[in-house]
Amino acid sequence: MIRMLIVDDEEIITDGLFDVFSQLNLDLDLYKAYSGEEALDWMNKTRVDIVLSDIRMPGMDGLELMKSIRSTWLHCKIIFLTGYNDFDYIYEATQTQGVSYLLKSEGYDRIIKVVTDAIHELENSLKFHHLIQQSREKLTTLETLAQGNYFRYLLQGARAVEELEVDFRKLGIALDPSLPVLVAVGDLQRTDMHHSFAESQETALAVKFLAETFLAERTNSLGIIDRYGGLVWLIQQTYGNGTGSDESYSRTVMFLEGQFELMQQACMESMGLTFAVTICADPCQWIQLNEVYDRVRSQQYWRAGDGVQMVQTVSFEPIETAAHSRTLREKAESLAIYLEGGGREGFLHLFNELKETAFDEPANGGPFLLELYYTIALLLLSYINRWELHDKVGTTGLMQRDLHTSWQDSFKFLQNIAESLFDLRVSVERNRAAAVIEKVRSYIDEHIGEDLSLVRLASVIHFNPSYLSRLFKQESGVNLSEYIDEVRVDKAKDLLKQDGLKIGEVGAQVGYEAPHSFTRFFKKSTGVTPLEYREILRK
């Protein structure tokens, strides 16, 4: 969804434009600010795609705001509203790419037209096939495979900086081994579940190449396809010699959140592909890479809902654990991937394939069947132990094959446990999603007179705004904005029963500082003005 921020120090202009665009059928997530400083505060909280701003404002004017926007969000379209005497300002502003202007006297129709054009430009910029082609010229598929293999090599243990420098140079890795990196992990989810290995690799490569373009504005990054078929990004800042302060890293993480959201939108529109991203907000040294990667991957398991289009940012305590083994057999490793990722269909398909191969062996019931049974049993037991599911899934007989009367019964028993784990995962995700929605509802009820913007609510539960909006609609059946309006109307009706409160005071308590805005909202929702509603109550 495109996010637009409206900025003007005159409240009546800001509120009027906000109301006009709220009533249009545009795919816009709207915010408003009454000063350049307040606008900058929004820009430091979340990605903003269009800024519609007055150019002359007390304090921070439009030109200062523009420079601050450009330091973080290069793609943001800026539209200035001006008077006849502002052309000196406009000349300076329009020397910057992505900046346009309008006279305040041109009216709403003209403003809507310019904003609509900006939306179309942003949407077209997300059509990324030509970007992929440009990136392919920089990095070949062979280099990508080599870098992926090298990443797996790095995960086996620490390497000296001198060794890393040589390897990076030979493999074309544009990262500095003496500086820390940020780690992000992407979980690709295609709408078409039936695809070959080659198609999966091609999809992952397309997203990797796309990311190089989107992340190049402020970072050096390396995208890698890991053994699970997902994507891993190792990212360094490109300013301040890459050794930024905690604040600069925080700004970089915010930049990554915004860019990954744009990538998600581009992938969905062009390929029918969704993916969830988990970003570690804490830069790590190369010696910590294996632990950080494993923890970020495991963090994706603890998500609310299905995780589609989610951008999640996590922080960890200092890492002291040792690297764990990566020597699982190839087939068992594939089963583990499906089990960890919730891939029921893939797991059962491979499970049956392995079982049928074992039963077709001449020495039926021999050592291979025994090895296969305990390999899968140990995999299931490890999963149950790791997520502490003993009280939810029975494990009696799991590691005692001789308790089963036949090999058929043995593998049927394993299949039943696996299916129970998949069912439990779906149930846990639903319960976790329900708990998140309940937390959002409670916050709305308790803060109905305060800022209830999507960005604010998302910060309460540490989700990206787009994912919260989709999750709330999915779980509740109504849009988040509609729910907030319903709560405000109900609260306003209760307050209007109190004759001692003025209409303006009631409006302020449900989030409307301007009485006329509250009156317009209440009448639109109920068909009568607040005063008329109070008169009805009296009668």
Side-chain angles (χ1 to χ4, degrees), residues 291-329:
E291 290 92 348
V292 172
Y293 164 70
D294 286 337
R295 293 177 77 175
V296 175
R297 271 208 59 86
S298 66
Q299 191 69 28
Q300 285 196 318
Y301 177 87
W302 299 108
R303 63 195 184 199
D306 55 15
V308 175
Q309 301 293 77
M310 181 177 72
V311 180
Q312 180 181 208
T313 303
V314 297
S315 293
F316 300 124
E317 295 296 323
I319 298 169
E320 299 177 354
T321 58
H324 49 264
S325 174
R326 302 175 184 280
T327 59
L328 290 175
R329 294 172 65 242

mmCIF file of all heavy atoms in Angstrom, residues 291-329:
data_model
loop_
_atom_site.group_PDB
_atom_site.id
_atom_site.type_symbol
_atom_site.label_atom_id
_atom_site.label_comp_id
_atom_site.label_asym_id
_atom_site.label_seq_id
_atom_site.Cartn_x
_atom_site.Cartn_y
_atom_site.Cartn_z
ATOM 1 N N GLU A 291 25.745 -18.319 14.542
ATOM 2 C CA GLU A 291 24.739 -18.260 15.598
ATOM 3 C C GLU A 291 23.604 -17.292 15.250
ATOM 4 O O GLU A 291 22.427 -17.595 15.477
ATOM 5 C CB GLU A 291 25.381 -17.844 16.926
ATOM 6 C CG GLU A 291 26.282 -18.898 17.534
ATOM 7 C CD GLU A 291 27.729 -18.736 17.100
ATOM 8 O OE1 GLU A 291 27.997 -17.963 16.161
ATOM 9 O OE2 GLU A 291 28.587 -19.382 17.704
ATOM 10 N N VAL A 292 23.971 -16.105 14.729
ATOM 11 C CA VAL A 292 22.944 -15.115 14.392
ATOM 12 C C VAL A 292 22.021 -15.641 13.306
ATOM 13 O O VAL A 292 20.793 -15.515 13.383
ATOM 14 C CB VAL A 292 23.594 -13.789 13.950
ATOM 15 C CG1 VAL A 292 22.531 -12.826 13.400
ATOM 16 C CG2 VAL A 292 24.321 -13.138 15.115
ATOM 17 N N TYR A 293 22.598 -16.254 12.275
ATOM 18 C CA TYR A 293 21.783 -16.806 11.179
ATOM 19 C C TYR A 293 20.793 -17.833 11.715
ATOM 20 O O TYR A 293 19.593 -17.801 11.376
ATOM 21 C CB TYR A 293 22.698 -17.430 10.136
ATOM 22 C CG TYR A 293 22.003 -18.349 9.172
ATOM 23 C CD1 TYR A 293 21.122 -17.859 8.197
ATOM 24 C CD2 TYR A 293 22.199 -19.733 9.226
ATOM 25 C CE1 TYR A 293 20.486 -18.708 7.320
ATOM 26 C CE2 TYR A 293 21.559 -20.585 8.351
ATOM 27 C CZ TYR A 293 20.705 -20.075 7.405
ATOM 28 O OH TYR A 293 20.060 -20.917 6.537
ATOM 29 N N ASP A 294 21.251 -18.749 12.547
ATOM 30 C CA ASP A 294 20.356 -19.787 13.081
ATOM 31 C C ASP A 294 19.253 -19.175 13.938
ATOM 32 O O ASP A 294 18.089 -19.598 13.881
ATOM 33 C CB ASP A 294 21.150 -20.801 13.913
ATOM 34 C CG ASP A 294 21.983 -21.734 13.061
ATOM 35 O OD1 ASP A 294 21.638 -21.914 11.875
ATOM 36 O OD2 ASP A 294 22.976 -22.283 13.563
ATOM 37 N N ARG A 295 19.588 -18.169 14.722
ATOM 38 C CA ARG A 295 18.583 -17.571 15.606
ATOM 39 C C ARG A 295 17.552 -16.755 14.821
ATOM 40 O O ARG A 295 16.378 -16.737 15.174
ATOM 41 C CB ARG A 295 19.271 -16.705 16.662
ATOM 42 C CG ARG A 295 20.110 -17.526 17.629
ATOM 43 C CD ARG A 295 20.840 -16.657 18.631
ATOM 44 N NE ARG A 295 19.944 -16.180 19.668
ATOM 45 C CZ ARG A 295 20.349 -15.473 20.716
ATOM 46 N NH1 ARG A 295 21.623 -15.168 20.848
ATOM 47 N NH2 ARG A 295 19.482 -15.055 21.623
ATOM 48 N N VAL A 296 17.997 -16.083 13.771
ATOM 49 C CA VAL A 296 17.049 -15.324 12.946
ATOM 50 C C VAL A 296 16.120 -16.284 12.220
ATOM 51 O O VAL A 296 14.904 -16.057 12.136
ATOM 52 C CB VAL A 296 17.789 -14.424 11.938
ATOM 53 C CG1 VAL A 296 16.800 -13.745 11.000
ATOM 54 C CG2 VAL A 296 18.590 -13.359 12.674
ATOM 55 N N ARG A 297 16.668 -17.383 11.698
ATOM 56 C CA ARG A 297 15.824 -18.368 11.022
ATOM 57 C C ARG A 297 14.791 -18.950 11.986
ATOM 58 O O ARG A 297 13.609 -19.073 11.658
ATOM 59 C CB ARG A 297 16.679 -19.503 10.439
ATOM 60 C CG ARG A 297 17.173 -19.245 9.031
ATOM 61 C CD ARG A 297 17.389 -20.553 8.288
ATOM 62 N NE ARG A 297 16.147 -21.312 8.233
ATOM 63 C CZ ARG A 297 15.214 -21.158 7.306
ATOM 64 N NH1 ARG A 297 15.356 -20.252 6.379
ATOM 65 N NH2 ARG A 297 14.125 -21.901 7.325
ATOM 66 N N SER A 298 15.241 -19.319 13.188
ATOM 67 C CA SER A 298 14.300 -19.918 14.147
ATOM 68 C C SER A 298 13.255 -18.904 14.599
ATOM 69 O O SER A 298 12.125 -19.271 14.921
ATOM 70 C CB SER A 298 15.057 -20.456 15.360
ATOM 71 O OG SER A 298 15.654 -19.409 16.094
ATOM 72 N N GLN A 299 13.617 -17.603 14.596
ATOM 73 C CA GLN A 299 12.661 -16.576 15.010
ATOM 74 C C GLN A 299 11.470 -16.518 14.063
ATOM 75 O O GLN A 299 10.364 -16.134 14.472
ATOM 76 C CB GLN A 299 13.354 -15.215 15.061
ATOM 77 C CG GLN A 299 12.536 -14.119 15.720
ATOM 78 C CD GLN A 299 12.363 -14.342 17.217
ATOM 79 O OE1 GLN A 299 13.217 -14.955 17.851
ATOM 80 N NE2 GLN A 299 11.262 -13.867 17.780
ATOM 81 N N GLN A 300 11.662 -16.893 12.806
ATOM 82 C CA GLN A 300 10.548 -16.871 11.854
ATOM 83 C C GLN A 300 9.460 -17.868 12.245
ATOM 84 O O GLN A 300 8.310 -17.720 11.858
ATOM 85 C CB GLN A 300 11.039 -17.167 10.443
ATOM 86 C CG GLN A 300 11.779 -15.998 9.812
ATOM 87 C CD GLN A 300 11.926 -16.156 8.322
ATOM 88 O OE1 GLN A 300 12.221 -17.234 7.821
ATOM 89 N NE2 GLN A 300 11.718 -15.081 7.594
ATOM 90 N N TYR A 301 9.834 -18.882 13.019
ATOM 91 C CA TYR A 301 8.832 -19.844 13.478
ATOM 92 C C TYR A 301 7.835 -19.168 14.416
ATOM 93 O O TYR A 301 6.645 -19.460 14.400
ATOM 94 C CB TYR A 301 9.521 -21.002 14.194
ATOM 95 C CG TYR A 301 8.554 -22.025 14.762
ATOM 96 C CD1 TYR A 301 8.093 -23.086 14.001
ATOM 97 C CD2 TYR A 301 8.092 -21.905 16.072
ATOM 98 C CE1 TYR A 301 7.209 -24.007 14.522
ATOM 99 C CE2 TYR A 301 7.206 -22.822 16.604
ATOM 100 C CZ TYR A 301 6.770 -23.866 15.826
ATOM 101 O OH TYR A 301 5.898 -24.777 16.341
ATOM 102 N N TRP A 302 8.332 -18.240 15.260
ATOM 103 C CA TRP A 302 7.472 -17.591 16.257
ATOM 104 C C TRP A 302 6.791 -16.371 15.648
ATOM 105 O O TRP A 302 7.039 -15.242 16.032
ATOM 106 C CB TRP A 302 8.286 -17.191 17.482
ATOM 107 C CG TRP A 302 8.918 -18.356 18.150
ATOM 108 C CD1 TRP A 302 10.235 -18.692 18.164
ATOM 109 C CD2 TRP A 302 8.246 -19.372 18.893
ATOM 110 N NE1 TRP A 302 10.431 -19.847 18.873
ATOM 111 C CE2 TRP A 302 9.218 -20.293 19.330
ATOM 112 C CE3 TRP A 302 6.904 -19.602 19.226
ATOM 113 C CZ2 TRP A 302 8.903 -21.409 20.090
ATOM 114 C CZ3 TRP A 302 6.597 -20.712 19.973
ATOM 115 C CH2 TRP A 302 7.583 -21.605 20.397
ATOM 116 N N ARG A 303 5.946 -16.596 14.718
ATOM 117 C CA ARG A 303 5.236 -15.500 14.076
ATOM 118 C C ARG A 303 3.737 -15.688 14.269
ATOM 119 O O ARG A 303 3.262 -16.808 14.447
ATOM 120 C CB ARG A 303 5.567 -15.441 12.583
ATOM 121 C CG ARG A 303 5.142 -16.682 11.800
ATOM 122 C CD ARG A 303 5.807 -16.716 10.431
ATOM 123 N NE ARG A 303 5.327 -17.856 9.640
ATOM 124 C CZ ARG A 303 5.972 -18.331 8.593
ATOM 125 N NH1 ARG A 303 7.102 -17.779 8.196
ATOM 126 N NH2 ARG A 303 5.489 -19.362 7.913
ATOM 127 N N ALA A 304 3.025 -14.596 14.208
ATOM 128 C CA ALA A 304 1.567 -14.639 14.341
ATOM 129 C C ALA A 304 0.950 -14.776 12.956
ATOM 130 O O ALA A 304 1.342 -14.083 12.019
ATOM 131 C CB ALA A 304 1.059 -13.372 15.012
ATOM 132 N N GLY A 305 -0.029 -15.644 12.810
ATOM 133 C CA GLY A 305 -0.655 -15.842 11.501
ATOM 134 C C GLY A 305 0.260 -16.621 10.573
ATOM 135 O O GLY A 305 1.164 -17.342 10.996
ATOM 136 N N ASP A 306 0.044 -16.458 9.275
ATOM 137 C CA ASP A 306 0.807 -17.236 8.294
ATOM 138 C C ASP A 306 2.114 -16.560 7.893
ATOM 139 O O ASP A 306 2.912 -17.136 7.168
ATOM 140 C CB ASP A 306 -0.036 -17.486 7.039
ATOM 141 C CG ASP A 306 -0.566 -16.185 6.429
ATOM 142 O OD1 ASP A 306 -0.090 -15.094 6.776
ATOM 143 O OD2 ASP A 306 -1.473 -16.282 5.581
ATOM 144 N N GLY A 307 2.345 -15.328 8.344
ATOM 145 C CA GLY A 307 3.599 -14.653 8.055
ATOM 146 C C GLY A 307 3.709 -14.058 6.673
ATOM 147 O O GLY A 307 4.726 -13.465 6.339
ATOM 148 N N VAL A 308 2.671 -14.198 5.843
ATOM 149 C CA VAL A 308 2.739 -13.701 4.471
ATOM 150 C C VAL A 308 2.922 -12.180 4.476
ATOM 151 O O VAL A 308 2.195 -11.460 5.155
ATOM 152 C CB VAL A 308 1.465 -14.083 3.693
ATOM 153 C CG1 VAL A 308 1.481 -13.458 2.299
ATOM 154 C CG2 VAL A 308 1.373 -15.604 3.573
ATOM 155 N N GLN A 309 3.917 -11.693 3.741
ATOM 156 C CA GLN A 309 4.204 -10.264 3.588
ATOM 157 C C GLN A 309 4.616 -9.604 4.901
ATOM 158 O O GLN A 309 4.484 -8.391 5.060
ATOM 159 C CB GLN A 309 2.989 -9.529 3.003
ATOM 160 C CG GLN A 309 2.517 -10.040 1.644
ATOM 161 C CD GLN A 309 3.511 -9.790 0.528
ATOM 162 O OE1 GLN A 309 4.501 -10.482 0.418
ATOM 163 N NE2 GLN A 309 3.244 -8.808 -0.318
ATOM 164 N N MET A 310 5.127 -10.388 5.840
ATOM 165 C CA MET A 310 5.526 -9.814 7.121
ATOM 166 C C MET A 310 6.978 -9.355 7.062
ATOM 167 O O MET A 310 7.832 -10.042 6.507
ATOM 168 C CB MET A 310 5.363 -10.837 8.245
ATOM 169 C CG MET A 310 5.744 -10.310 9.627
ATOM 170 S SD MET A 310 5.449 -11.513 10.945
ATOM 171 C CE MET A 310 6.758 -12.685 10.607
ATOM 172 N N VAL A 311 7.265 -8.193 7.647
ATOM 173 C CA VAL A 311 8.633 -7.744 7.889
ATOM 174 C C VAL A 311 8.789 -7.646 9.401
ATOM 175 O O VAL A 311 8.166 -6.812 10.052
ATOM 176 C CB VAL A 311 8.926 -6.386 7.229
ATOM 177 C CG1 VAL A 311 10.364 -5.965 7.517
ATOM 178 C CG2 VAL A 311 8.697 -6.453 5.725
ATOM 179 N N GLN A 312 9.598 -8.511 9.959
ATOM 180 C CA GLN A 312 9.757 -8.610 11.412
ATOM 181 C C GLN A 312 11.187 -8.215 11.782
ATOM 182 O O GLN A 312 12.137 -8.664 11.157
ATOM 183 C CB GLN A 312 9.473 -10.056 11.840
ATOM 184 C CG GLN A 312 9.609 -10.319 13.324
ATOM 185 C CD GLN A 312 9.349 -11.773 13.672
ATOM 186 O OE1 GLN A 312 8.916 -12.087 14.767
ATOM 187 N NE2 GLN A 312 9.615 -12.682 12.747
ATOM 188 N N THR A 313 11.322 -7.370 12.789
ATOM 189 C CA THR A 313 12.642 -6.961 13.263
ATOM 190 C C THR A 313 12.848 -7.504 14.671
ATOM 191 O O THR A 313 11.988 -7.343 15.534
ATOM 192 C CB THR A 313 12.768 -5.431 13.266
ATOM 193 O OG1 THR A 313 12.508 -4.941 11.949
ATOM 194 C CG2 THR A 313 14.159 -5.006 13.683
ATOM 195 N N VAL A 314 13.989 -8.156 14.900
ATOM 196 C CA VAL A 314 14.241 -8.790 16.188
ATOM 197 C C VAL A 314 15.602 -8.348 16.723
ATOM 198 O O VAL A 314 16.491 -7.954 15.968
ATOM 199 C CB VAL A 314 14.205 -10.331 16.079
ATOM 200 C CG1 VAL A 314 12.826 -10.810 15.670
ATOM 201 C CG2 VAL A 314 15.245 -10.827 15.073
ATOM 202 N N SER A 315 15.737 -8.405 18.041
ATOM 203 C CA SER A 315 17.017 -8.150 18.712
ATOM 204 C C SER A 315 17.302 -9.321 19.635
ATOM 205 O O SER A 315 16.387 -9.942 20.178
ATOM 206 C CB SER A 315 16.967 -6.854 19.516
ATOM 207 O OG SER A 315 16.844 -5.733 18.665
ATOM 208 N N PHE A 316 18.591 -9.617 19.806
ATOM 209 C CA PHE A 316 18.987 -10.757 20.632
ATOM 210 C C PHE A 316 19.936 -10.305 21.728
ATOM 211 O O PHE A 316 20.670 -9.327 21.577
ATOM 212 C CB PHE A 316 19.685 -11.835 19.790
ATOM 213 C CG PHE A 316 18.839 -12.400 18.693
ATOM 214 C CD1 PHE A 316 19.280 -12.379 17.373
ATOM 215 C CD2 PHE A 316 17.602 -12.956 18.962
ATOM 216 C CE1 PHE A 316 18.512 -12.904 16.354
ATOM 217 C CE2 PHE A 316 16.817 -13.474 17.946
ATOM 218 C CZ PHE A 316 17.276 -13.452 16.642
ATOM 219 N N GLU A 317 19.929 -11.074 22.818
ATOM 220 C CA GLU A 317 20.949 -10.894 23.840
ATOM 221 C C GLU A 317 22.296 -11.356 23.288
ATOM 222 O O GLU A 317 22.347 -12.089 22.301
ATOM 223 C CB GLU A 317 20.581 -11.718 25.091
ATOM 224 C CG GLU A 317 19.306 -11.257 25.786
ATOM 225 C CD GLU A 317 19.434 -9.861 26.342
ATOM 226 O OE1 GLU A 317 20.539 -9.517 26.824
ATOM 227 O OE2 GLU A 317 18.443 -9.108 26.280
ATOM 228 N N PRO A 318 23.410 -10.940 23.904
ATOM 229 C CA PRO A 318 24.723 -11.403 23.433
ATOM 230 C C PRO A 318 24.779 -12.921 23.308
ATOM 231 O O PRO A 318 24.261 -13.655 24.152
ATOM 232 C CB PRO A 318 25.674 -10.900 24.528
ATOM 233 C CG PRO A 318 24.986 -9.707 25.086
ATOM 234 C CD PRO A 318 23.520 -10.016 25.031
ATOM 235 N N ILE A 319 25.395 -13.388 22.241
ATOM 236 C CA ILE A 319 25.392 -14.810 21.902
ATOM 237 C C ILE A 319 26.606 -15.496 22.524
ATOM 238 O O ILE A 319 27.731 -15.050 22.368
ATOM 239 C CB ILE A 319 25.408 -14.990 20.376
ATOM 240 C CG1 ILE A 319 24.148 -14.361 19.787
ATOM 241 C CG2 ILE A 319 25.530 -16.438 19.992
ATOM 242 C CD1 ILE A 319 24.178 -14.256 18.295
ATOM 243 N N GLU A 320 26.345 -16.577 23.239
ATOM 244 C CA GLU A 320 27.440 -17.316 23.847
ATOM 245 C C GLU A 320 27.409 -18.795 23.476
ATOM 246 O O GLU A 320 28.281 -19.551 23.864
ATOM 247 C CB GLU A 320 27.373 -17.186 25.369
ATOM 248 C CG GLU A 320 27.491 -15.726 25.854
ATOM 249 C CD GLU A 320 27.361 -15.602 27.346
ATOM 250 O OE1 GLU A 320 27.071 -16.644 27.998
ATOM 251 O OE2 GLU A 320 27.547 -14.498 27.869
ATOM 252 N N THR A 321 26.400 -19.236 22.717
ATOM 253 C CA THR A 321 26.259 -20.654 22.392
ATOM 254 C C THR A 321 27.238 -21.060 21.314
ATOM 255 O O THR A 321 27.682 -20.271 20.505
ATOM 256 C CB THR A 321 24.830 -20.943 21.902
ATOM 257 O OG1 THR A 321 24.578 -20.107 20.769
ATOM 258 C CG2 THR A 321 23.816 -20.614 22.969
ATOM 259 N N ALA A 322 27.558 -22.329 21.299
ATOM 260 C CA ALA A 322 28.472 -22.863 20.284
ATOM 261 C C ALA A 322 27.690 -23.262 19.049
ATOM 262 O O ALA A 322 26.502 -23.568 19.102
ATOM 263 C CB ALA A 322 29.208 -24.072 20.851
ATOM 264 N N ALA A 323 28.368 -23.249 17.915
ATOM 265 C CA ALA A 323 27.708 -23.639 16.661
ATOM 266 C C ALA A 323 27.301 -25.101 16.726
ATOM 267 O O ALA A 323 28.045 -25.953 17.202
ATOM 268 C CB ALA A 323 28.665 -23.414 15.495
ATOM 269 N N HIS A 324 26.113 -25.408 16.255
ATOM 270 C CA HIS A 324 25.649 -26.777 16.318
ATOM 271 C C HIS A 324 25.895 -27.492 14.986
ATOM 272 O O HIS A 324 26.200 -26.892 13.973
ATOM 273 C CB HIS A 324 24.163 -26.840 16.701
ATOM 274 C CG HIS A 324 23.299 -25.947 15.900
ATOM 275 N ND1 HIS A 324 22.921 -24.698 16.322
ATOM 276 C CD2 HIS A 324 22.749 -26.120 14.677
ATOM 277 C CE1 HIS A 324 22.164 -24.148 15.419
ATOM 278 N NE2 HIS A 324 22.047 -24.968 14.409
ATOM 279 N N SER A 325 25.741 -28.783 15.013
ATOM 280 C CA SER A 325 26.126 -29.624 13.872
ATOM 281 C C SER A 325 25.249 -29.388 12.659
ATOM 282 O O SER A 325 24.073 -29.101 12.769
ATOM 283 C CB SER A 325 26.031 -31.099 14.285
ATOM 284 O OG SER A 325 26.251 -31.922 13.167
ATOM 285 N N ARG A 326 25.876 -29.507 11.466
ATOM 286 C CA ARG A 326 25.148 -29.351 10.201
ATOM 287 C C ARG A 326 25.325 -30.593 9.339
ATOM 288 O O ARG A 326 25.425 -30.514 8.112
ATOM 289 C CB ARG A 326 25.666 -28.122 9.449
ATOM 290 C CG ARG A 326 25.551 -26.851 10.247
ATOM 291 C CD ARG A 326 26.186 -25.697 9.515
ATOM 292 N NE ARG A 326 26.155 -24.506 10.325
ATOM 293 C CZ ARG A 326 25.111 -23.711 10.474
ATOM 294 N NH1 ARG A 326 24.007 -23.967 9.831
ATOM 295 N NH2 ARG A 326 25.161 -22.662 11.250
ATOM 296 N N THR A 327 25.403 -31.757 9.985
ATOM 297 C CA THR A 327 25.759 -32.976 9.253
ATOM 298 C C THR A 327 24.595 -33.940 9.091
ATOM 299 O O THR A 327 24.785 -35.151 9.021
ATOM 300 C CB THR A 327 26.919 -33.690 9.979
ATOM 301 O OG1 THR A 327 26.522 -34.004 11.313
ATOM 302 C CG2 THR A 327 28.156 -32.791 10.042
ATOM 303 N N LEU A 328 23.374 -33.439 9.068
ATOM 304 C CA LEU A 328 22.229 -34.318 8.838
ATOM 305 C C LEU A 328 22.300 -34.901 7.434
ATOM 306 O O LEU A 328 22.731 -34.231 6.498
ATOM 307 C CB LEU A 328 20.921 -33.530 8.997
ATOM 308 C CG LEU A 328 20.560 -33.084 10.401
ATOM 309 C CD1 LEU A 328 19.324 -32.213 10.361
ATOM 310 C CD2 LEU A 328 20.342 -34.266 11.305
ATOM 311 N N ARG A 329 21.843 -36.114 7.275
ATOM 312 C CA ARG A 329 21.805 -36.734 5.949
ATOM 313 C C ARG A 329 20.886 -35.936 5.040
ATOM 314 O O ARG A 329 19.942 -35.294 5.490
ATOM 315 C CB ARG A 329 21.305 -38.180 6.076
ATOM 316 C CG ARG A 329 22.257 -39.091 6.835
ATOM 317 C CD ARG A 329 21.640 -40.454 7.095
ATOM 318 N NE ARG A 329 21.405 -41.149 5.845
ATOM 319 C CZ ARG A 329 20.198 -41.518 5.419
ATOM 320 N NH1 ARG A 329 19.135 -41.209 6.119
ATOM 321 N NH2 ARG A 329 20.074 -42.174 4.294
#
